[in-house]
Amino acid sequence: MSTELRRAVEDIGQIVRRDGGALDFQAFDPEAGALVVAFRQAPADKCAACTIDEPMVRAFLEEAVRAQGIELTSLQIRSPRG
């Protein structure tokens, strides 16, 4: 299950990187169904509505993980400051 989960996060991470942001797998507790990722949104220099934001990442990840047959009970998205 870890391989499928990591693949789902990496697939969404590729989309985020093309937008100028970053998404990285941090942890998954299979017993609790809890996924933790780190997300840095791309700078919104010209169009804030044009960049992938945290709610979009959450929706994309939930769908990608569900497509892999993995049930999540929680998804924590950490956003580094700085």
Side-chain angles (χ1 to χ4, degrees):
M1 179 178 340
S2 179
T3 301
E4 291 86 2
L5 182 71
R6 285 180 182 268
R7 183 178 303 125
V9 173
E10 179 58 29
D11 288 349
I12 303 306
Q14 288 177 9
I15 295 167
V16 171
R17 279 189 294 283
R18 276 181 273 192
D19 192 48
L23 179 69
D24 296 303
F25 175 89
Q26 291 206 317
F28 179 65
D29 180 343
E31 290 183 24
L35 173 62
V36 180
V37 296
F39 169 64
R40 181 183 48 78
Q41 186 171 339
D45 296 334
K46 297 180 179 154
C47 175
C50 300
T51 60
I52 297 172
D53 60 10
E54 188 173 314
M56 277 189 230
V57 167
R58 180 174 298 279
F60 289 162
L61 276 174
E62 288 172 347
E63 180 60 30
V65 170
R66 189 171 26 256
Q68 294 295 328
I70 301 167
E71 288 295 320
L72 288 183
T73 56
S74 74
L75 171 56
Q76 182 180 4
I77 300 175
R78 297 182 178 162
S79 297
R81 304 288 178 226

